[in-house]
Amino acid sequence: MWHRAPRWRRSKSVGALTLALLATACIGPRPEPPATTAVAPPPAWRTALGTGAPIRADWWSAFGDPVLTGLVARALANSPDLGSAAARIDEARAAARLARAQQTPLVSGAAPGTTGQTVSPFGTPSDAIGAQPAVSISYDLDLFGRLRLASQAARAQLLASEAARDTVRLGIASSVATGYITLRALDQRLAVARQTLAARAEGLRIARRRAEAGYTSNLELRQSEAEFHATEQLVPAAQLAISRQENALSLLLGDNPGPIPRGRTLDQLAAPAIPDGLPADLLRRRPDLYQAEQTLVATDRSLDSARAAMLPNLALTGSAGVVLSTALANPIAVFSIGASVLSPIFDGGRLGAQADAATARRDQAAFAYRRTALQAFREVDDSLAGVQRSGQQAVALAGQRDALAGALRNASNRYRAGYSAYIDQLDAQRGLLTAELSLVQARADRLTAYVTLYQAMGGGWSRADAEVVQR
C-alpha cells in the first residue's frame, strides 16, 4: 500500500547528476524504512456469507429503520467532535498553502522618505526632501527539493487530517447504531420482564387460593412469592438501564438527556446482506488505515526535506527603484541583482540531529501503519465470525425457548391436575425466563456484529466496491 519514491530521478543534465552525486556524498545514504512494515492479508479471511446483494453507502439505512437513520443524521450534524476535526483540517489546509507559498518568489516594496541638506557646486547649502521607492524580489532556487518536499509533506498531512475526520464520522455513526440496538434490546428485556411478572402474579394468585383452601402447603405459597419478587426487581433494573442508554444516546446526538424516539423492534430490524467475498484491498477505504498511510508519507517527505536542509542553498535577490529628490533635476533609476549561497559549515550537529529525529518519526509512522493494518484484518475477521456465530447462537436459543415454553405448559397442567409438584413448574418458569433474556441478547449481539463489520470495512460496500477498489 505504501511505496517509497526514489530519492533521485534520472536527469539528462550532467550538472544535475553532479549535484545529485554531491548531495549523496554530503549527507550519506538515505535511511531505509523498517523491513517489518510489509503487511500481507491473512490467506483465509474471506468468509462466504449472505447472497452478495449490494449495500447502500449510508450503511445504517440497511437495517430498515427510518428512526435509526434520522438519529445518525442528527448525530453527524451536531457532534462537537466533527467540528473539532473540521477545524484541524482548516489548520492543515493553511499549513499546506504556506508550504506551497514558500516555493514562489517574494515581492516586497518600500517608499522611505528622507530629508537633509545638499551642497551646490558653489558651496551653498540648501535643504532637500526626497524619497526612494523600490521593489525587491527574492527567490529560493530550491536546488535539492527542500521546499518541494516540505510542500508534499504538508499535502500528505492534510489528507491524513481529512481521513481523521472520516474516522470520527464512522465512529459516531457506529456508536449511534450500536447504542440504538442496545436500547431496543433493553426495551425487549423490559417487555419480557413485564410479561413474566404478569405470569408470576397469576401463579401467585392461584398459589394463595390453593393455600387458603388447604390444597397446598404454605411452602409452595412462599416459593411463589419469592419467585414473584425475584421477577419484580427485573423491571426497575431494566428501566434504569433504558434511562442510562437514552442519556448516552442523547449525548451522541448533541442534546440534553431525554427520551429517544423508537422505530422498529429488535426482531423487526433487518439483517443486512454480506457479499460472498470481500477483497483485502477494500480495507484501504478504512479512514484510520488511510490516515496512517498518509502520515507515513508525510514523515517520509519530511525526512527528505530535513536531509536537503543540510545541503547548500542558493537564493536570488534583486531590487529596483528610483531616487526622487528636490535637489535633483531628474529622478535617478537604481537597481541591483545578486545571488547568495548559504551552506552550513559548523552547526554543532543541529541539522544532523534534526535529520535523525525525522528518521525516527518516519520509522514510528511505519510501525504504526503496520499495527493499524493488522488491527484492521483482525477486526474484519472478528466481525465476520461474530455475525455468523451469533446468528447460530440465536437460532439455538430460539429452539431452547420454544422447548421450555412447551415444558412450562406441560408442568402447569400437571401441577393443576395434581400429578406433579410445584417445583417442576417453578424450574420451567426459571428456565424459560433465562432463555428469553439470552435470546434477546444474542439477537442484539448479531446486529451489533453487523455494525462492527461495517465499521471494520470503513463503511458501506457494494458489489462494484468489491470488484474495483479506489480511494
Side-chain angles (χ1 to χ4, degrees):
M1 296 182 182
W2 172 76
H3 303 283
R4 178 177 62 84
R7 179 62 182 88
W8 301 106
R9 299 182 180 273
R10 294 182 180 271
S11 176
K12 297 181 180 180
S13 172
V14 178
L17 180 60
T18 303
L19 288 176
L21 295 176
L22 175 61
T24 305
C26 291
I27 62 177
R30 185 181 190 278
E32 295 295 331
T36 57
T37 55
V39 181
W45 81 279
R46 294 170 183 253
T47 304
L49 293 174
T51 59
I55 301 297
R56 295 177 58 183
D58 50 344
W59 54 267
W60 49 86
S61 63
F63 293 99
D65 193 340
V67 174
L68 173 59
T69 302
L71 292 177
V72 174
R74 285 174 56 189
L76 294 178
N78 302 329
S79 174
D81 294 334
L82 278 179
S84 178
R88 287 192 292 269
I89 291 177
D90 294 338
E91 180 183 3
R93 185 175 292 111
R97 291 202 310 269
L98 178 60
R100 289 195 304 268
Q102 298 293 332
Q103 304 178 68
T104 60
L106 176 62
V107 181
S108 59
T114 61
T115 59
Q117 289 185 341
T118 61
V119 179
S120 65
F122 303 99
T124 304
S126 62
D127 295 333
I129 300 177
Q132 297 181 7
V135 175
S136 61
I137 301 176
S138 61
Y139 179 63
D140 192 334
L141 291 182
D142 195 24
L143 295 177
F144 300 100
R146 173 178 55 86
L147 300 178
R148 175 179 54 83
L149 292 169
S151 178
Q152 293 177 1
R155 173 62 181 171
Q157 195 60 47
L158 173 60
L159 295 178
S161 299
E162 293 176 348
R165 176 203 54 197
D166 296 339
T167 302
V168 174
R169 288 177 55 87
L170 182 59
I172 291 174
S174 301
S175 298
V176 172
T178 302
Y180 183 78
I181 292 172
T182 302
L183 180 61
R184 299 308 284 147
L186 291 174
D187 291 338
Q188 191 161 341
R189 288 176 66 91
L190 178 60
V192 170
R194 285 174 172 170
Q195 293 172 2
T196 306
L197 182 61
R200 297 288 193 276
E202 178 64 18
L204 178 59
R205 186 185 64 83
I206 296 175
R208 182 175 289 110
R209 289 181 56 185
R210 291 170 64 90
E212 292 174 352
Y215 292 117
T216 59
S217 64
N218 288 332
L219 175 61
E220 292 184 359
L221 175 60
R222 299 308 179 193
Q223 288 176 334
S224 180
E225 289 178 348
E227 195 65 20
F228 173 80
H229 292 300
T231 307
E232 188 179 26
Q233 60 87 23
L234 295 177
V235 174
Q239 292 173 337
L240 175 60
I242 288 173
S243 298
R244 291 176 174 175
Q245 188 62 30
E246 285 181 331
N247 293 339
L249 275 174
S250 298
L251 180 62
L252 288 174
L253 299 178
D255 297 334
N256 293 323
I260 298 297
R262 267 64 160 186
R264 295 190 175 186
T265 63
L266 187 68
D267 298 335
Q268 294 174 343
L269 292 177
I274 302 177
D276 295 334
L278 297 175
D281 286 344
L282 192 61
L283 291 184
R284 294 194 65 182
R285 297 196 321 169
R286 281 179 57 122
D288 58 340
L289 188 60
Y290 188 74
Q291 178 186 1
E293 181 178 353
Q294 292 303 315
T295 301
L296 179 56
V297 173
T299 54
D300 191 64
R301 297 298 182 267
S302 297
L303 170 61
D304 290 340
S305 179
R307 287 166 57 83
M310 304 172 64
L311 299 174
N313 185 32
L314 178 60
L316 299 179
T317 58
S319 63
V322 294
V323 178
L324 303 175
S325 176
T326 57
L328 298 176
N330 297 313
I332 300 176
V334 295
F335 71 92
S336 65
I337 187 171
S340 62
V341 177
L342 179 63
S343 177
I345 298 177
F346 177 76
D347 61 355
R350 295 178 180 85
L351 295 178
Q354 293 176 1
D356 293 341
T359 302
R361 286 191 294 268
R362 191 275 313 273
D363 294 345
Q364 293 174 26
F367 285 114
Y369 173 74
R370 173 179 173 82
R371 181 176 63 252
T372 304
L374 294 177
Q375 182 69 19
F377 289 129
R378 177 198 169 183
E379 290 177 357
V380 170
D381 192 72
D382 289 348
S383 301
L384 288 172
V387 169
Q388 187 176 30
R389 303 310 176 191
S390 60
Q392 295 173 352
Q393 183 183 12
V395 172
L397 285 171
Q400 182 187 14
R401 189 268 314 271
D402 295 340
L404 287 172
L408 177 58
R409 288 192 297 269
N410 294 335
S412 299
N413 293 334
R414 289 175 60 85
Y415 171 68
R416 291 170 182 170
Y419 292 111
S420 63
Y422 178 71
I423 191 65
D424 295 336
Q425 178 181 347
L426 188 61
D427 289 341
Q429 289 175 344
R430 292 172 178 171
L432 179 59
L433 177 61
T434 302
E436 286 180 339
L437 294 179
S438 299
L439 178 59
V440 171
Q441 187 62 45
R443 288 173 174 172
D445 291 342
R446 182 167 182 258
L447 293 174
T448 302
Y450 277 107
V451 176
T452 306
L453 179 61
Y454 277 116
Q455 187 175 12
M457 297 303 298
W461 61 82
S462 65
R463 184 175 300 171
D465 294 331
E467 294 174 356
V468 180
V469 180
Q470 295 179 348
R471 178 71 188 182

